């Protein structure tokens, strides 16, 4: 069953390890990549996430309300409120419909100004909101994955703690642990200025099927095949 974040759980934050191979989200093995093709695109978005404050406040009073509302909440309540709040704040719309290209990574203020975005846009806004509410950047990752059940590419925000990894998802207002989502097969992820490619642990068959490699992945654009 699904694991809902409870107030009494009080998980402690774990900074992401700096070793070349780290434990991966969704039971994967994460391998650090230094020249990953999407890293430069992520770098500009991450700079905007860190500088979100005033620009995001001007772009959306709703986003400002979320930031103010979670400042003094517990860790678990911050995750739950930001997840459901951002899910309701903007409309889901594919990048191809909004920007005329299959995979466009928008900055937070741009997403808020358009009041719409696809799955990675929701994750970007959640990272910006949690960063402003005091959650360390090093504990958060934007994870691009394949949903083996729905047959689509998708993106979520993960938050690493000593009690496990929690997932903030635009298709579910409940915050759950990654272990509750066996159909999510991670492909690559970003955190602060780093990138990882994810693979299955030895002996497991949970490997994403990719046509055209990682460069062909466009989260939120429909079926993976």
């Amino acid at each position: 069953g699904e694991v809902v974040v409870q107030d009494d759980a009080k998980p402690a934050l774990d900074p992401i390890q700096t070793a070349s191979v780290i434990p991966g989200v969704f039971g994967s093995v994460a391998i650090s990549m230094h020249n990953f093709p999407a890293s430069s695109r992520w770098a500009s978005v991450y700079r905007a996430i860190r500088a979100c404050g005033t620009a995001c406040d001007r772009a959306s009073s709703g986003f400002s309300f979320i930031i103010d509302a979670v400042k003094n909440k517990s860790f678990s309540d911050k995750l739950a409120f930001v997840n459901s709040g951002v899910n309701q704040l903007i409309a889901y719309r594919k990048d191809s419909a909004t920007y005329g290209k299959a995979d466009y990574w928008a900055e937070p203020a741009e997403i808020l100004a358009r009041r719409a975005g696809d799955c990675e846009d929701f994750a970007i806004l959640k990272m910006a909101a949690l960063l402003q509410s005091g959650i360390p950047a090093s504990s958060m990752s934007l994870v691009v994955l394949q949903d083996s059940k729905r047959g689509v590419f998708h993106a979520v925000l993960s938050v690493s703690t000593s009690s496990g990894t929690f997932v903030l998802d635009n298709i579910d207002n409940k915050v759950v642990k990654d272990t509750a989502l066996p159909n999510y097969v991670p492909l690559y992820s970003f955190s602060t200025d780093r990138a990882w490619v994810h693979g299955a642990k030895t002996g497991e068959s949970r490997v994403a099927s990719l046509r055209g490699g990682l460069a062909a992945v466009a989260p939120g654009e429909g079926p993976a095949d």
Side-chain angles (χ1 to χ4, degrees):
E2 291 178 322
V3 180
V4 181
V5 177
Q6 300 292 336
D7 288 340
D8 56 7
K10 291 186 177 146
L13 288 164
D14 274 349
I16 289 178
Q17 301 298 307
T18 55
S20 59
V21 178
I22 62 167
V25 67
F26 303 112
S28 67
V29 172
I31 302 168
S32 185
M33 296 287 286
H34 295 291
N35 296 306
F36 191 65
S39 291
S40 58
R41 179 172 55 179
W42 165 251
S44 63
V45 170
Y46 181 63
R47 282 194 297 272
I49 288 172
R50 293 200 68 89
C52 180
T54 306
C56 290
D57 288 346
R58 281 200 303 265
S60 171
S61 58
F63 189 78
S64 299
F65 172 78
I66 292 172
I67 302 300
D68 290 339
V70 301
K71 275 180 180 169
N72 297 315
K73 289 186 180 292
S74 68
F75 172 78
S76 299
D77 284 346
K78 282 180 180 178
L79 296 194
F81 195 92
V82 165
N83 189 53
S84 60
V86 171
N87 284 353
Q88 296 166 53
L89 184 63
I90 63 171
Y92 180 86
R93 190 179 301 142
K94 292 181 178 182
D95 285 342
S96 54
T98 306
Y99 300 104
K101 54 178 70 174
D103 194 23
Y104 177 85
W105 288 45
E107 297 183 359
E110 188 176 14
I111 302 165
L112 292 168
R114 292 179 178 269
R115 299 185 181 181
D118 70 354
C119 48
E120 84 259 6
D121 295 319
F122 281 86
I124 286 166
L125 284 184
K126 290 169 188 177
M127 183 181 285
L130 289 175
L131 190 60
Q132 288 194 50
S133 75
I135 305 297
S138 58
S139 70
M140 295 186 283
S141 299
L142 189 155
V143 184
V144 175
L145 56 90
Q146 187 174 28
D147 183 342
S148 60
K149 185 185 293 182
R150 293 190 299 144
V152 297
F153 295 125
H154 188 42
V156 298
L157 180 69
S158 73
V159 183
S160 172
T161 80
S162 60
S163 300
T165 299
F166 295 93
V167 177
L168 284 68
D169 197 332
N170 66 288
I171 63 173
D172 192 348
N173 284 330
K174 292 190 295 293
V175 173
V176 301
K177 283 190 176 178
D178 61 346
T179 50
L181 298 162
N183 52 303
Y184 279 8
V185 184
L187 305 174
Y188 57 92
S189 62
F190 299 103
S191 178
T192 62
D193 60 349
R194 303 188 63 205
W196 290 267
V197 170
H198 294 260
K201 291 180 180 176
T202 305
E204 292 191 9
S205 59
R206 291 173 69 248
V207 179
S209 57
L210 296 176
R211 295 181 186 176
L214 292 177
V217 175
E221 285 297 309
D225 53 6

